[in-house]
Amino acid sequence: MAIIQQLARVPAGYLDACRRSAAESPDGDHRWDPPSGDCLDLDWAPSMLKRACELARLDAVHREALRSATHGDSGIDLGFLNANRHAIAFFSNSTPTALHPADVARVSTLLGEIDMQAILRSVVDSGAGSTLGYGFVGDPTEYLLAHFGALRGFYEEAARRRLLVVLWWD
């Protein structure tokens, strides 16, 4: 079974309500159920995107923005979202992470500055496309452009609405 990257845009109040629900529920039910329009399935694209940026020698600031966009910040306590029986990341056995709205805005701006098409063209033209890995057969450009575009748009909307982004692997 594949482990895939999941993201959700939520207001701080929603996350607080889930935290309260988990604390008050006898079985730790956090009632996590963000609207499907505020969720994004990145499949297993994050590692390939990061690898492409490394191969193309994207600068450290923009590589870090991509890392933050797909890893979050472990400084936000979301352990309540991964309590047994109600765990949202039960396949990966990892704790969800999140980004505060200010970090979401910063990441959104930096993602908007990345020319992923040029990065992927550079990687594929150099013959290094096959080193992106994960059993991908053929040119990964279309797959990665679609997922990067979805990620960038997701963060743009989260920044516009001043929402947190919660991330986990499922």
Side-chain angles (χ1 to χ4, degrees), residues 18-36:
C18 288
R19 187 176 281 112
R20 278 192 308 278
S21 180
E24 294 168 359
S25 171
D27 66 351
D29 186 357
H30 43 68
R31 301 191 188 280
W32 174 260
D33 190 21
S36 61

Side-chain angles (χ1 to χ4, degrees), residues 37-93:
D38 282 321
C39 295
L40 177 63
D41 177 346
L42 275 184
D43 200 24
W44 37 273
S47 295
M48 292 176 70
L49 288 168
K50 285 181 247 173
R51 180 71 178 136
C53 290
E54 290 168 2
L55 290 170
R57 293 185 173 91
L58 182 66
D59 66 274
V61 170
H62 289 91
R63 280 196 329 264
E64 176 58 25
L66 181 60
R67 190 210 61 78
S68 293
T70 59
H71 280 79
D73 176 358
S74 60
I76 300 173
D77 179 18
L78 298 177
F80 71 93
L81 287 175
N82 231 35
N84 283 338
R85 189 154 183 244
H86 301 288
I88 68 172
F90 53 92
F91 288 121
S92 68
N93 201 25

Side-chain angles (χ1 to χ4, degrees), residues 51-53 55-56 118-129 131-132:
R51 180 71 178 136
C53 290
L55 290 170
I119 288 169
L120 293 172
R121 188 171 36 254
S122 165
V123 171
V124 171
D125 289 352
S126 73
T131 67
L132 294 177

